[in-house]
Amino acid sequence: MLQTVKPKTPRAARALKARESQTHENPKTALFLNYTKCSEVTQLAMKDLYALKRPLAIRFTKKNDIHPFEDSSSLEFFSDKNDAALMLFGSHSKKRPHALTFVRCFEHKVLDMLELLVDAESMRTLSQFKNVRKATVGLKPLVCFAGSLFESPMKNEYTLAKSVLLDFFKGPDVDSVDVEGLQYMISFSVGEESDAVPKPKIHLRTYLIKTRKSGQRLPRVEVEEMGPRIDFRMGRVQEAEEGVMKEALRKPKGVEPRAKKNIETDLMGDKIGRIHVGKQDLTQLQTRKMKGLKRSRGDADAGDEDSAMIDADDVADAGKKARTD
């Protein structure tokens, strides 16, 4: 555990205040660490993931004797020392070859961890895609998840993997994105569970987005794989405690806008308003006059004769009734 020390200078006080919880947090920085034994495949995978995460990434090349799932105090020290909320720890052993451990921290304490094992046979690095232009550093990527296991209503290893990977690769939070800045996409896909494959692999693919002329208002969009290409097998998992996760997801007051009466937002982000109108008097409503409903002159004359005949008959009946009386 880290010892809490009161600041002795104004500069130290400002530094500690900057690390406190804020209404609008800084973008999450990822720290890359190596174990004492780290295979070449693991190092190449970490190098490519570091290239995708830049500039919000710090890479240490010194080896560290750390066992994340047994003792996480060293990780918490590195998190507090470098103000890093995300970490990627690479290791290699006979039991768990080419392992990458994704770590999330809350208030510089380990929140949850996810271990993924790299498939060395199917892996291809960024440098192996030589004929493809690479994306510019610092741009916000599109992140895609394909597979029913990612959308399971019950919490499992794959729903945790979706949450951790999205938090790791999404980049800084922004209010709007320029379409010209969407240059690449990171795709994660997973197959279906079966008796032969109880835990299917997670496939990581990275594509470069290209726009072509289509002769219409909207351009034609094409994608081209630019690397890296990595297949992960599911390893160990450490989920967050319910109370700590609830505290980590809590939003400060004043961040969310006040709900306006009779105004809602649908799933597509469109505003829907509800208007309450009082009782209307429809007797004075001016309806549209249609030419087909107008009476012709002949119909009008016939109607006048019929009314005249009806009036004469009424007068005659009234006279007869008076004589009988």
Side-chain angles (χ1 to χ4, degrees), residues 7 10-22 25-26:
R11 182 179 180 183
R14 290 193 299 269
L16 290 177
K17 187 177 181 180
R19 292 190 178 187
E20 293 179 354
S21 300
Q22 302 175 7
E25 295 287 349
N26 299 327

Side-chain angles (χ1 to χ4, degrees), residues 51-315:
L52 295 178
K53 185 62 180 174
R54 287 187 306 168
L56 300 176
I58 303 173
R59 187 181 181 187
F60 288 170
T61 57
K62 184 179 178 180
K63 298 180 180 180
N64 302 275
D65 189 8
I66 301 175
H67 300 274
F69 290 90
E70 298 174 6
D71 184 12
S72 60
S73 59
S74 298
L75 296 179
E76 295 173 355
F77 171 80
F78 281 114
S79 174
D80 187 32
K81 194 72 173 177
N82 299 277
D83 194 18
L86 303 171
M87 283 183 283
L88 182 60
F89 185 77
S91 61
H92 176 73
S93 64
K94 186 176 180 180
K95 188 176 182 180
R96 296 180 179 87
H98 319 302
L100 295 178
T101 304
F102 293 84
V103 183
R104 286 193 297 184
C105 297
F106 173 66
E107 294 185 349
H108 306 299
K109 306 294 180 184
V110 173
L111 180 65
D112 50 15
M113 290 186 289
L114 171 69
E115 184 183 61
L116 299 177
L117 308 179
V118 178
D119 187 359
E121 296 181 358
S122 61
M123 177 181 167
R124 291 188 64 186
T125 61
L126 273 168
S127 58
Q128 290 178 319
F129 293 86
K130 297 181 180 180
N131 298 328
V132 183
R133 179 176 60 87
K134 308 304 178 185
T136 308
V137 177
L139 295 180
K140 191 175 179 68
L142 289 172
V143 184
C144 173
F145 289 90
S148 58
L149 291 177
F150 288 135
E151 306 296 334
S152 175
M154 302 296 295
K155 290 185 178 180
N156 55 27
E157 299 169 336
Y158 292 93
T159 57
L160 176 62
K162 178 182 177 181
S163 177
V164 172
L165 294 174
L166 179 61
D167 207 5
F168 195 88
F169 290 103
K170 70 176 183 179
D173 297 330
V174 294
D175 297 331
S176 60
V177 179
D178 188 2
V179 179
E180 295 295 332
L182 299 176
Q183 295 187 3
Y184 70 105
M185 177 182 69
I186 302 176
S187 172
F188 296 95
S189 60
V190 63
E192 298 292 337
E193 286 184 323
S194 62
D195 296 337
V197 186
K199 293 184 179 181
K201 295 181 180 180
I202 298 176
H203 307 283
L204 166 64
R205 302 292 185 268
T206 309
Y207 299 97
L208 190 69
I209 300 176
K210 297 181 179 180
T211 54
R212 305 293 187 186
K213 292 184 179 180
S214 61
Q216 301 178 358
R217 184 169 177 268
L218 296 177
R220 187 178 79 253
V221 180
E222 298 179 355
V223 294
E224 184 177 2
E225 190 173 0
M226 72 171 192
R229 179 193 300 174
I230 306 176
D231 295 336
F232 295 108
R233 292 183 291 108
M234 191 63 67
R236 293 175 292 179
V237 168
Q238 178 178 321
E239 297 183 356
E241 297 180 2
E242 185 176 355
V244 179
M245 178 60 75
K246 184 178 180 181
E247 183 67 19
L249 297 177
R250 184 173 61 88
K251 295 183 178 180
K253 295 181 180 179
V255 174
E256 294 184 352
R258 284 188 174 183
K260 295 183 179 180
K261 191 176 181 180
N262 298 327
I263 296 179
E264 300 175 353
T265 305
D266 59 3
L267 296 176
M268 301 301 295
D270 299 328
K271 286 186 178 181
I272 300 176
R274 184 180 301 169
I275 302 175
H276 297 276
V277 182
K279 188 176 180 180
Q280 297 181 352
D281 185 10
L282 301 180
T283 57
Q284 304 296 329
L285 182 65
Q286 179 66 36
T287 59
R288 183 179 179 183
K289 296 180 181 180
M290 297 182 61
K291 189 174 182 180
L293 297 179
K294 289 185 178 180
R295 299 172 63 185
S296 63
R297 181 173 295 181
D299 295 339
D301 296 341
D304 294 341
E305 293 177 0
D306 293 342
S307 62
M309 293 176 63
I310 292 173
D311 294 341
D313 294 341
D314 293 341
V315 172

